Amino acid sequence: MHYFSQSCTYDHSWARVVIGMWHKYPNPHCSHVVTVDVVDRTINPETGIIRTERILGCKQRAPIWIVKLFGGSEDAFVREISFVDPSTQTTTISSINLSLSQFATCNENIKYAPAPGGRTIFTQTAEIQTRMTMWRSAADKLEGWLAQRFEQNAQLGKVGFTDVLKKLWDEANERKEGVPASS
Amino acid sequence: MAQSLTSECTPLKLEYDSCFNSWFEGYLEPAVSASASSEQRAKYSKEKAEEYESKCGKIWASYRACVQKAVKEKGLNDLLDQAREENPLKEPPSNQSSSVPPS
């Protein structure tokens, strides 16, 4: 099993980060994410919690040995479930791979919560694990490749989202107030 | 905004996304501050859920029909059903115990 985690703080309020979340793609830093679709969405009329189920389509060229062994293709799909809870100011996002899922699972959990000073803390964890007993060295290699791709994409995702938030809110502040955003 | 699974659904997706986003942007900040009482929150949530339905319900229905067809065409139906069965994720994961392993 490969385990990954990172956290960082965004210089924007929780509400602004969560609004920005829906504007993350397309993103030049994350050009591997090509399609984003909402397949289910509910707004709980009692709690106000919004649950969204999306499918993200990614283009990732897999090494030839993966394609040969596991039949992967250039297209990889991910299922993502998010909960936005305004009462606790918590956003959680869970993702799982759909492609290659008979061989390996990549389970990602993200959380956005308010941090002191009107900022927002982002925490991300992921577990990557081959699913069943198979030829051990192939399983290890597959897991290693998935983990490496995940880490690369996680870094790019952070940089890409920082840009989105900056563009969305710094420009909005300048338009509204005629002054640059205070830092 | 990113494309849809099939180019046929992209215009519907873009229309739906902008409908949702403008609703969401109006919803979120008052929802954060409406936490005075659970009664107030429920009233606000109910009104806003109805507003979303009346503003975006129609375009959502067309977009969803299109994307459901696209999911089938791409052969993702079984994978999605299997993932939903394994982990329905109907409730926020904070209701479950934390999955952070000991360091």
Side-chain angles (χ1 to χ4, degrees), chain A residues 56 68 154:
Chain A
L56 280 65
K68 282 200 168 150

mmCIF file of all heavy atoms in Angstrom, chain A residues 56 68 154:
data_model
loop_
_atom_site.group_PDB
_atom_site.id
_atom_site.type_symbol
_atom_site.label_atom_id
_atom_site.label_comp_id
_atom_site.label_asym_id
_atom_site.label_seq_id
_atom_site.Cartn_x
_atom_site.Cartn_y
_atom_site.Cartn_z
ATOM 1 N N LEU A 56 -14.889 12.461 -13.501
ATOM 2 C CA LEU A 56 -13.818 13.203 -14.146
ATOM 3 C C LEU A 56 -13.121 12.278 -15.135
ATOM 4 O O LEU A 56 -12.799 11.135 -14.799
ATOM 5 C CB LEU A 56 -12.795 13.704 -13.111
ATOM 6 C CG LEU A 56 -13.172 14.976 -12.333
ATOM 7 C CD1 LEU A 56 -14.370 14.776 -11.442
ATOM 8 C CD2 LEU A 56 -11.999 15.453 -11.507
ATOM 9 N N LYS A 68 -0.485 -3.482 -21.614
ATOM 10 C CA LYS A 68 -0.413 -4.900 -21.995
ATOM 11 C C LYS A 68 -0.954 -5.805 -20.904
ATOM 12 O O LYS A 68 -1.706 -6.738 -21.164
ATOM 13 C CB LYS A 68 1.027 -5.277 -22.334
ATOM 14 C CG LYS A 68 1.423 -4.809 -23.721
ATOM 15 C CD LYS A 68 2.625 -5.565 -24.232
ATOM 16 C CE LYS A 68 2.826 -5.288 -25.717
ATOM 17 N NZ LYS A 68 4.226 -5.363 -26.106
ATOM 18 N N ALA A 154 -1.171 15.588 -7.711
ATOM 19 C CA ALA A 154 -1.549 16.301 -6.487
ATOM 20 C C ALA A 154 -0.808 17.640 -6.408
ATOM 21 O O ALA A 154 -1.377 18.660 -6.027
ATOM 22 C CB ALA A 154 -1.236 15.440 -5.262
#
